[in-house]
Amino acid sequence: MKKILNVDGMSCNHCIEKIKRFVGECEGVEILKVDIDNKILEVDIDDESRLLCIIEAIEDAGFEVK
Ligand SMILES: [Cu+2]
């Protein structure tokens, strides 16, 4: 299922790479889009429970989920 998360604090390509790297560690998650302008991360997850890992990964990367 597709999910869109609002992520605060992204400002450059480096941030995009960092988000991709950290969230990429989560199983069952495919990153569809990291959009700095609209401050969103779009993912395809196989189960709702994957959101927990994603949110933790974003925070570990130093960004904030709104
Ligand atoms: Cu950056």
Coordinates of all heavy atoms in Angstrom, one line a residue:
M1 N 0.8 -1.2 0.0 CA 0.0 0.0 0.0 C 0.9 1.2 0.0 O 2.0 1.2 0.5 CB -0.9 0.0 1.2 CG -0.2 0.2 2.5 SD -1.1 -0.3 4.0 CE -0.7 -2.1 3.9
K2 N 0.3 2.3 -0.6 CA 1.1 3.5 -0.7 C 0.8 4.4 0.5 O -0.3 4.5 0.9 CB 0.7 4.3 -2.0 CG 1.8 4.6 -2.9 CD 1.4 5.0 -4.3 CE 1.1 6.4 -4.4 NZ 0.8 6.8 -5.9
K3 N 1.9 5.0 1.0 CA 1.8 5.9 2.2 C 2.6 7.1 1.9 O 3.7 7.1 1.3 CB 2.3 5.2 3.4 CG 1.4 4.1 4.0 CD 0.2 4.7 4.8 CE -0.8 3.6 5.2 NZ -2.0 4.1 5.8
I4 N 2.1 8.3 2.4 CA 2.8 9.5 2.3 C 3.1 10.1 3.7 O 2.1 10.2 4.4 CB 2.0 10.5 1.4 CG1 2.0 10.1 0.0 CG2 2.7 11.9 1.5 CD1 1.1 10.9 -1.0
L5 N 4.3 10.3 3.9 CA 4.7 10.9 5.2 C 5.2 12.3 5.1 O 5.9 12.6 4.1 CB 5.8 10.0 5.9 CG 5.4 8.7 6.4 CD1 5.9 7.6 5.4 CD2 5.9 8.4 7.8
N6 N 4.9 13.2 6.0 CA 5.4 14.5 5.9 C 6.7 14.6 6.7 O 6.7 14.2 7.9 CB 4.4 15.5 6.5 CG 3.1 15.5 5.7 OD1 3.1 15.9 4.6 ND2 2.0 15.1 6.3
V7 N 7.7 15.0 6.1 CA 9.0 15.0 6.7 C 9.6 16.4 6.7 O 9.7 17.1 5.7 CB 10.0 14.1 6.0 CG1 11.4 14.1 6.7 CG2 9.5 12.7 5.9
D8 N 10.0 16.8 7.9 CA 10.5 18.2 8.1 C 12.0 18.2 8.2 O 12.6 17.2 8.8 CB 9.9 18.8 9.4 CG 9.5 20.3 9.1 OD1 9.3 20.6 7.9 OD2 9.3 21.0 10.1
G9 N 12.7 19.2 7.7 CA 14.1 19.3 7.9 C 15.0 19.0 6.7 O 16.2 19.1 6.7
M10 N 14.3 18.5 5.6 CA 15.1 18.2 4.4 C 15.4 19.4 3.6 O 14.5 20.3 3.4 CB 14.3 17.2 3.5 CG 14.0 15.9 4.2 SD 13.3 14.7 3.0 CE 11.7 15.5 2.6
S11 N 16.7 19.6 3.2 CA 17.0 20.8 2.5 C 17.8 20.6 1.2 O 18.0 21.6 0.4 CB 17.7 21.8 3.4 OG 18.9 21.2 3.9
C12 N 18.4 19.5 1.1 CA 19.3 19.3 -0.1 C 19.4 17.8 -0.5 O 18.8 17.0 0.1 CB 20.7 19.9 0.2 SG 21.6 18.9 1.4
N13 N 20.1 17.6 -1.6 CA 20.3 16.2 -2.1 C 20.9 15.3 -1.1 O 20.6 14.1 -1.1 CB 21.1 16.2 -3.4 CG 20.3 16.7 -4.6 OD1 19.1 16.6 -4.6 ND2 21.0 17.1 -5.6
H14 N 21.8 15.9 -0.3 CA 22.4 15.1 0.8 C 21.3 14.5 1.7 O 21.4 13.3 2.2 CB 23.4 15.9 1.6 CG 24.0 15.2 2.7 ND1 25.1 14.4 2.5 CD2 23.8 15.2 4.0 CE1 25.4 13.9 3.7 NE2 24.7 14.3 4.6
C15 N 20.3 15.3 2.0 CA 19.2 14.9 2.9 C 18.4 13.7 2.2 O 18.1 12.8 2.9 CB 18.3 16.0 3.2 SG 19.0 17.4 4.0
I16 N 18.2 13.9 0.9 CA 17.5 12.8 0.2 C 18.2 11.5 0.3 O 17.7 10.4 0.6 CB 17.3 13.2 -1.3 CG1 16.4 14.4 -1.4 CG2 16.8 12.0 -2.1 CD1 16.2 14.9 -2.8
E17 N 19.6 11.6 0.1 CA 20.4 10.4 0.1 C 20.3 9.7 1.5 O 20.3 8.5 1.7 CB 21.8 10.7 -0.3 CG 22.0 11.0 -1.8 CD 21.3 10.0 -2.7 OE1 21.4 8.8 -2.5 OE2 20.5 10.4 -3.6
K18 N 20.4 10.6 2.5 CA 20.4 10.1 3.9 C 19.1 9.4 4.2 O 19.0 8.3 4.8 CB 20.6 11.3 4.9 CG 21.2 10.8 6.2 CD 21.6 12.0 7.0 CE 22.1 11.6 8.4 NZ 22.3 12.7 9.3
I19 N 18.0 10.0 3.8 CA 16.6 9.4 4.1 C 16.6 8.1 3.4 O 16.1 7.1 3.9 CB 15.5 10.4 3.5 CG1 15.4 11.6 4.3 CG2 14.2 9.6 3.4 CD1 14.4 11.6 5.4
K20 N 17.0 8.0 2.1 CA 17.0 6.8 1.3 C 17.8 5.7 2.0 O 17.4 4.5 2.0 CB 17.5 7.0 -0.1 CG 16.5 7.7 -1.0 CD 17.1 7.8 -2.4 CE 16.1 8.5 -3.4 NZ 16.7 8.8 -4.6
R21 N 18.9 6.1 2.5 CA 19.8 5.1 3.1 C 19.2 4.6 4.4 O 19.2 3.4 4.6 CB 21.2 5.8 3.4 CG 22.3 4.8 3.7 CD 23.7 5.5 3.6 NE 23.9 6.4 4.7 CZ 24.1 7.7 4.5 NH1 24.2 8.2 3.3 NH2 24.3 8.5 5.6
F22 N 18.7 5.4 5.2 CA 18.2 5.0 6.5 C 16.9 4.2 6.4 O 16.7 3.1 6.9 CB 18.0 6.2 7.5 CG 19.2 6.6 8.2 CD1 20.3 7.2 7.5 CD2 19.3 6.4 9.6 CE1 21.4 7.6 8.2 CE2 20.5 6.8 10.3 CZ 21.5 7.4 9.6
V23 N 16.0 4.8 5.6 CA 14.7 4.1 5.4 C 14.9 2.8 4.6 O 14.1 1.8 4.7 CB 13.7 5.0 4.7 CG1 12.4 4.3 4.4 CG2 13.4 6.2 5.6
G24 N 15.9 2.8 3.7 CA 16.2 1.6 2.9 C 16.5 0.4 3.8 O 16.5 -0.7 3.3
E25 N 16.9 0.6 5.0 CA 17.2 -0.5 5.9 C 15.9 -1.2 6.4 O 16.0 -2.3 6.9 CB 17.9 0.0 7.2 CG 19.3 0.6 6.9 CD 20.3 -0.5 6.5 OE1 20.4 -1.5 7.1 OE2 21.0 -0.3 5.4
C26 N 14.8 -0.6 6.2 CA 13.5 -1.2 6.7 C 13.1 -2.3 5.7 O 13.1 -2.0 4.5 CB 12.4 -0.1 6.8 SG 12.8 1.1 8.1
E27 N 12.7 -3.4 6.2 CA 12.2 -4.5 5.3 C 10.8 -4.2 4.9 O 10.0 -3.6 5.6 CB 12.2 -5.8 6.1 CG 13.5 -6.6 5.9 CD 13.5 -7.9 6.7 OE1 12.6 -8.7 6.5 OE2 14.3 -8.0 7.6
G28 N 10.5 -4.7 3.7 CA 9.1 -4.5 3.2 C 8.7 -3.2 2.8 O 7.5 -2.8 2.7
V29 N 9.7 -2.3 2.6 CA 9.5 -0.9 2.3 C 10.2 -0.6 0.9 O 11.4 -0.8 0.8 CB 10.0 0.0 3.4 CG1 9.8 1.5 3.0 CG2 9.4 -0.3 4.7
E30 N 9.4 0.0 0.0 CA 10.0 0.5 -1.2 C 9.8 2.0 -1.2 O 8.7 2.5 -1.1 CB 9.3 -0.1 -2.4 CG 10.0 0.2 -3.7 CD 9.2 -0.2 -4.9 OE1 8.2 -0.9 -4.8 OE2 9.5 0.3 -6.0
I31 N 10.9 2.7 -1.4 CA 10.8 4.2 -1.5 C 10.4 4.6 -2.9 O 11.0 4.3 -3.8 CB 12.1 4.9 -1.1 CG1 12.5 4.5 0.3 CG2 12.0 6.4 -1.2 CD1 14.0 4.8 0.7
L32 N 9.3 5.3 -3.0 CA 8.8 5.8 -4.3 C 9.3 7.2 -4.6 O 9.6 7.5 -5.7 CB 7.3 5.7 -4.3 CG 6.6 4.4 -4.1 CD1 5.1 4.5 -4.1 CD2 7.0 3.4 -5.1
K33 N 9.3 8.0 -3.6 CA 9.6 9.4 -3.9 C 10.1 10.1 -2.6 O 9.5 10.0 -1.6 CB 8.4 10.2 -4.5 CG 8.8 11.4 -5.2 CD 7.7 12.4 -5.6 CE 6.3 11.9 -5.8 NZ 5.4 12.9 -6.2
V34 N 11.1 10.9 -2.7 CA 11.5 11.9 -1.7 C 11.4 13.3 -2.3 O 12.2 13.6 -3.2 CB 12.9 11.6 -1.1 CG1 13.2 12.5 0.1 CG2 13.1 10.2 -0.8
D35 N 10.4 14.0 -1.8 CA 10.1 15.3 -2.4 C 10.4 16.4 -1.4 O 9.7 16.7 -0.5 CB 8.7 15.3 -2.8 CG 8.3 16.6 -3.6 OD1 9.0 17.6 -3.5 OD2 7.3 16.6 -4.3
I36 N 11.5 17.1 -1.6 CA 11.9 18.2 -0.7 C 11.0 19.3 -0.7 O 10.6 19.9 0.3 CB 13.4 18.7 -1.1 CG1 14.4 17.7 -0.6 CG2 13.6 20.0 -0.5 CD1 15.8 18.1 -0.7
D37 N 10.6 19.8 -2.0 CA 9.7 20.9 -2.1 C 8.4 20.8 -1.3 O 7.9 21.7 -0.7 CB 9.4 21.2 -3.6 CG 10.7 21.6 -4.3 OD1 11.6 22.2 -3.7 OD2 10.8 21.3 -5.6
N38 N 7.8 19.6 -1.4 CA 6.6 19.4 -0.7 C 6.8 18.7 0.7 O 5.8 18.4 1.3 CB 5.7 18.5 -1.6 CG 5.3 19.3 -2.8 OD1 4.8 20.4 -2.8 ND2 5.5 18.7 -4.0
K39 N 8.1 18.5 1.0 CA 8.4 17.9 2.3 C 7.7 16.5 2.5 O 7.1 16.3 3.6 CB 8.1 18.8 3.5 CG 8.8 20.1 3.4 CD 8.5 21.0 4.6 CE 9.2 22.3 4.6 NZ 8.9 23.1 5.7
I40 N 7.7 15.7 1.5 CA 7.1 14.4 1.7 C 8.0 13.2 1.3 O 8.9 13.3 0.4 CB 5.8 14.3 0.9 CG1 6.0 14.5 -0.6 CG2 4.7 15.2 1.5 CD1 4.8 14.1 -1.5
L41 N 7.7 12.1 1.9 CA 8.3 10.8 1.6 C 7.2 9.9 1.2 O 6.2 9.7 1.9 CB 9.1 10.3 2.8 CG 9.5 8.8 2.7 CD1 10.6 8.6 1.6 CD2 10.0 8.3 4.0
E42 N 7.3 9.4 0.0 CA 6.3 8.5 -0.5 C 6.8 7.1 -0.5 O 7.9 6.8 -1.1 CB 5.8 8.9 -1.9 CG 4.5 8.3 -2.3 CD 4.0 8.9 -3.7 OE1 4.2 10.1 -3.9 OE2 3.6 8.1 -4.5
V43 N 6.1 6.1 0.1 CA 6.6 4.8 0.2 C 5.5 3.8 -0.2 O 4.3 4.1 -0.1 CB 7.1 4.4 1.6 CG1 8.4 5.2 1.9 CG2 6.1 4.7 2.6
D44 N 6.0 2.6 -0.6 CA 5.1 1.5 -0.8 C 5.4 0.4 0.2 O 6.6 -0.1 0.3 CB 5.2 0.9 -2.2 CG 4.2 -0.1 -2.5 OD1 3.1 -0.1 -1.8 OD2 4.3 -0.8 -3.5
I45 N 4.5 0.1 1.1 CA 4.8 -0.9 2.2 C 3.9 -2.1 2.1 O 2.7 -2.0 1.6 CB 4.6 -0.2 3.6 CG1 3.3 0.4 3.8 CG2 5.7 0.8 3.8 CD1 3.1 1.0 5.2
D46 N 4.4 -3.2 2.5 CA 3.6 -4.5 2.4 C 2.7 -4.6 3.6 O 1.8 -5.5 3.6 CB 4.5 -5.7 2.2 CG 5.5 -5.9 3.4 OD1 5.5 -5.0 4.3 OD2 6.2 -6.9 3.3
D47 N 2.9 -3.8 4.7 CA 2.1 -3.9 5.9 C 2.2 -2.6 6.7 O 3.2 -2.0 6.7 CB 2.6 -5.1 6.8 CG 1.7 -5.4 7.9 OD1 1.8 -4.7 9.0 OD2 0.8 -6.3 7.7
E48 N 1.1 -2.3 7.2 CA 1.0 -1.0 8.0 C 2.1 -0.9 9.1 O 2.5 0.2 9.4 CB -0.4 -1.0 8.7 CG -0.8 0.4 9.2 CD -1.6 1.2 8.1 OE1 -2.2 0.6 7.2 OE2 -1.7 2.4 8.3
S49 N 2.5 -2.1 9.6 CA 3.4 -2.1 10.7 C 4.8 -1.6 10.3 O 5.6 -1.2 11.2 CB 3.6 -3.5 11.3 OG 4.1 -4.3 10.3
R50 N 5.0 -1.5 9.0 CA 6.3 -1.0 8.5 C 6.6 0.5 8.9 O 7.7 0.9 8.9 CB 6.5 -1.2 7.0 CG 6.3 -2.7 6.6 CD 7.3 -3.6 7.1 NE 7.2 -4.9 6.4 CZ 7.9 -6.0 6.8 NH1 8.7 -5.9 7.9 NH2 7.8 -7.1 6.2
L51 N 5.5 1.1 9.1 CA 5.5 2.6 9.4 C 6.4 2.9 10.6 O 7.1 3.9 10.7 CB 4.1 3.2 9.6 CG 3.3 3.4 8.3 CD1 1.9 3.8 8.7 CD2 4.0 4.4 7.4
L52 N 6.4 2.0 11.5 CA 7.1 2.1 12.8 C 8.6 2.2 12.5 O 9.3 3.1 12.9 CB 6.9 0.9 13.7 CG 6.6 1.2 15.2 CD1 5.3 1.9 15.3 CD2 6.7 0.0 16.0
C53 N 9.1 1.3 11.6 CA 10.5 1.3 11.2 C 10.8 2.6 10.4 O 11.9 3.2 10.6 CB 10.8 0.1 10.4 SG 12.5 0.0 9.9
I54 N 9.9 3.0 9.6 CA 10.2 4.1 8.7 C 10.3 5.4 9.5 O 11.3 6.2 9.4 CB 9.0 4.3 7.7 CG1 9.0 3.1 6.7 CG2 9.2 5.6 6.9 CD1 7.8 3.1 5.8
I55 N 9.4 5.6 10.5 CA 9.4 6.8 11.3 C 10.7 6.8 12.2 O 11.3 7.8 12.3 CB 8.1 6.8 12.2 CG1 6.9 7.1 11.3 CG2 8.3 7.9 13.3 CD1 5.6 6.9 12.0
E56 N 11.0 5.6 12.7 CA 12.3 5.6 13.5 C 13.5 5.9 12.6 O 14.4 6.6 13.1 CB 12.4 4.2 14.1 CG 12.4 4.2 15.6 CD 12.5 2.7 16.1 OE1 13.5 2.0 15.8 OE2 11.7 2.4 16.9
A57 N 13.5 5.4 11.4 CA 14.6 5.6 10.5 C 14.8 7.1 10.2 O 15.9 7.6 10.1 CB 14.5 4.7 9.3
I58 N 13.6 7.7 9.9 CA 13.7 9.1 9.6 C 14.2 9.9 10.7 O 15.0 10.8 10.6 CB 12.3 9.6 9.2 CG1 11.8 9.0 7.9 CG2 12.2 11.1 9.1 CD1 10.4 9.2 7.5
E59 N 13.8 9.6 11.9 CA 14.2 10.3 13.1 C 15.7 10.0 13.4 O 16.5 10.9 13.8 CB 13.4 10.0 14.3 CG 12.0 10.7 14.2 CD 11.0 10.3 15.3 OE1 11.3 9.4 16.0 OE2 9.9 10.9 15.3
D60 N 16.1 8.8 13.2 CA 17.6 8.5 13.3 C 18.4 9.2 12.3 O 19.6 9.6 12.6 CB 17.8 7.0 13.1 CG 17.3 6.1 14.3 OD1 17.0 6.8 15.4 OD2 17.2 4.9 14.2
A61 N 17.8 9.5 11.2 CA 18.6 10.3 10.1 C 18.6 11.7 10.5 O 19.4 12.5 9.8 CB 17.9 10.0 8.8
G62 N 17.9 12.2 11.5 CA 17.9 13.5 11.9 C 16.8 14.4 11.4 O 16.9 15.6 11.5
F63 N 15.8 13.8 10.9 CA 14.6 14.6 10.4 C 13.4 14.3 11.3 O 13.4 13.4 12.1 CB 14.4 14.2 9.0 CG 15.6 14.4 8.1 CD1 16.4 13.3 7.7 CD2 16.0 15.7 7.7 CE1 17.5 13.5 7.0 CE2 17.1 15.9 7.0 CZ 17.9 14.8 6.6
E64 N 12.4 15.1 11.0 CA 11.2 15.0 11.9 C 10.0 14.6 11.0 O 9.7 15.2 10.0 CB 10.9 16.4 12.5 CG 10.1 16.3 13.8 CD 9.9 17.7 14.4 OE1 10.7 18.6 14.1 OE2 8.9 17.9 15.1
V65 N 9.2 13.6 11.6 CA 8.0 13.3 10.9 C 6.8 14.0 11.5 O 6.7 14.1 12.7 CB 7.7 11.7 11.1 CG1 6.4 11.4 10.3 CG2 8.9 10.9 10.6
K66 N 6.1 14.7 10.6 CA 5.0 15.6 11.1 C 3.7 14.8 11.1 O 3.4 14.0 10.2 CB 4.8 16.8 10.2 CG 6.0 17.8 10.4 CD 5.9 18.5 11.7 CE 7.0 19.5 11.8 NZ 7.0 20.2 13.1
Ligands
CU1 CU 20.6 18.2 3.1

